């Protein structure tokens, strides 16, 4: 067996031998296939990158057909059950599990960097009272590059490390302040005696008490949610981070681009859209009419379907369990009944079976977030906090990958050519 592809160009009769490596051919190898030397070579057309690998990566493995998700080789189920978010963040960023000393140093570093410059607070206060927290988060993370101008020295490993620590540490502070802003409540400073999730809950919900004590079951559920969101290989926002990062800009600007991508309703914004959809459906009786609308193409069943998972989303299974833990503390969310019935009907319906549409991570996470009294606008912020180590690990990998170049796809030009410009005063005469 030869690891190559023989391509015959039926336009010219010419044959080409193209090497196959790791189940892929190099798109650039197709460039030699030409009608004549004046023509550009053959290219691939792949809107949405549905069958194009853009990098080599050793961070996250997904087998969408089997419902497998692994970070650095460790199954998500084991990490969610036995690890914690900061240990998983270490694993994702560094590639290995930490020793006791490495873990303690990492937790100390992250905890030590949770505060932000007072001027950040100042400009966050300048947002309108009803500003979407994702817009605030995106702007504030982008602005951090101006507080750390040395972050542009991306070839320096120590410099890269400190920016990674800062971003993982400060993301909950910025997210919590965006939340407090919308509520008109004073921003709460980090409490460095608390764990990552507890400190976040404290910055969100603390009022006049001297110390905020989160229910440990809630803190644990939030920590698990962060783990589930920590990385997901080349998704839309990670691709945005890598694409912007490929220009060699600082990591704050690259991650701000990722936050923008995550904001969209087809990506991280889906959990917000799920909750709005469940509220709109309201009761179990309204489900059949809603499903008909989805099948007629009038709307989408948000929280269903995935580009990669075509069997089940392993994160959705773990989230269902976290739902039970949270509802034990908060009481059951009445929309859970609508969600469960919707899932049952959809999983039995030919339309969804044929298209392999199953609940994804966002289907149940919104219910947990609502039970924790987050407004829907905050849901994607929680996703962003969890995804930050993944974005940064992918960015780190990019900066050290000699094969990478600035991202610059081709296009198929469909517009006019060679028109003669007529000045406005002549055209409008
Ligand atoms: N409801 C109804 N029909 C759907 C849905 C849905 N949620 N998702 C896909 N389809 C249909 C789609 O209309 C198409 O049907 P047809 O073949 O008849 O044209 C078929 O299934 C294939 O869909 P697609 O849009 O080509 O698939 P994609 O891989 O481009 O899109 C997706 C993946 C996640 C964007 C899409 O399934 C979707 O829009 N889901 C709802 C939004 C959502 O829940 N997003 C969160 C994704 S998980 C978290 C994350 O990673 O961000």
């Amino acid at each position: 067996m030869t690891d190559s592809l023989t391509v015959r160009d039926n336009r010219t009769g010419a044959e080409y031998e193209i090497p196959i490596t790791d189940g892929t051919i190099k798109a650039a190898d197709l460039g030699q296939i030409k009608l004549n030397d004046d023509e550009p070579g053959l290219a691939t057309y792949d809107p949405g990158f549905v069958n194009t690998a853009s990098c080599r990566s050793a961070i996250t493995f997904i087998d969408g057909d089997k419902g497998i998700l692994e970070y650095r080789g460790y199954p998500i189920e084991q990490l969610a059950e036995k690890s914690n978010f900061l240990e998983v963040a270490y694993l994702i960023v560094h590639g290995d599990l930490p020793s006791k000393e490495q873990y303690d140093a990492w937790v100390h570093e992250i905890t030590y960097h949770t505060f932000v410059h007072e001027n950040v607070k100042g400009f966050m206060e300048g947002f309108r009272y009803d500003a979407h927290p994702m817009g605030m988060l995106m702007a504030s993370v982008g602005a951090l590059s101006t507080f750390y101008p040395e972050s542009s020295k991306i070839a320096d490993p120590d410099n890269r490390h400190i920016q990674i620590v800062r971003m993982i540490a400060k993301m909950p502070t910025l997210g919590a302040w965006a939340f407090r802003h919308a509520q008109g409540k004073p921003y709460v400073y980090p409490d460095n005696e608390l764990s990552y999730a507890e400190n976040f809950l404290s910055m969100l919900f603390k009022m006049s008490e001297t110390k905020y004590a989160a229910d440990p079951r809630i803190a644990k559920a939030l920590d698990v949610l962060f783990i589930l969101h920590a990385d997901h290989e080349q998704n839309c926002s990670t691709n945005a981070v890598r694409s912007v990062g490929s220009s060699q800009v600082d990591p704050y600007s690259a991650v701000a681009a990722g936050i923008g991508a995550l904001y969209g309703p087809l990506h991280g914004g889906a959990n917000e859209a799920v909750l709005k959809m469940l509220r709109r459906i309201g009761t179990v009786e309204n489900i059949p009419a809603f499903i008909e609308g989805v099948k007629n193409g009038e709307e989408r069943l948000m929280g269903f379907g995935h580009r990669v998972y075509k069997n089940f989303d392993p994160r959705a299974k773990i989230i269902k369990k976290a739902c039970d833990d949270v509802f034990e503390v908060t009481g059951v969310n009445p929309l859970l009944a609508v969600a469960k019935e919707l899932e049952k009907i959809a999983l039995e319906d030919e339309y969804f079976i044929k298209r392999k549409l199953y609940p994804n991570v966002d289907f149940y996470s919104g219910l947990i977030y609502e039970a924790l009294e987050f407004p829907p606008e905050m849901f994607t912020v929680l996703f962003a906090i969890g995804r930050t180590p993944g974005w940064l690990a992918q960015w780190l990998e990019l900066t050290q990958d000699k094969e990478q170049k600035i991202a610059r796809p081709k296009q198929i030009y469909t517009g006019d050519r060679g028109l003669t410009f007529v000045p406005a005063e002549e055209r409008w005469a």
Side-chain angles (χ1 to χ4, degrees), residues 154 239-249 254 395 398-399 404-408:
I154 63 163
N239 181 59
V241 171
R242 279 185 173 261
S243 186
V244 171
S246 75
S247 72
Q248 302 193 348
V249 74
W395 169 79
L398 165 87
T399 59
Q404 285 298 325
K405 289 174 177 297
I406 185 164
R408 204 320 183 173

Side-chain angles (χ1 to χ4, degrees), residues 48 50 229 232 235-237 261-262 264-271 273-274 294-295 297 299-310 313 315 351-352 354-363 383 387:
V50 293
H229 286 97
H232 214 229
N235 55 87
C236 178
S237 57
L262 191 71
L266 296 190
H267 191 9
N271 51 20
V274 168
V294 172
K295 285 157 67 176
E299 49 192 326
R300 287 213 151 193
L301 175 51
M302 299 312 284
F304 262 65
H306 200 275
R307 173 62 62 77
V308 182
Y309 296 120
K310 300 296 176 195
D313 181 339
R315 302 167 301 172
Y351 175 95
F352 298 93
K354 201 170 127 213
R355 290 171 179 76
K356 300 190 170 180
L357 300 172
Y358 298 88
N360 59 48
V361 68
D362 289 319
F363 192 66
F383 191 154
R387 182 55 55 87

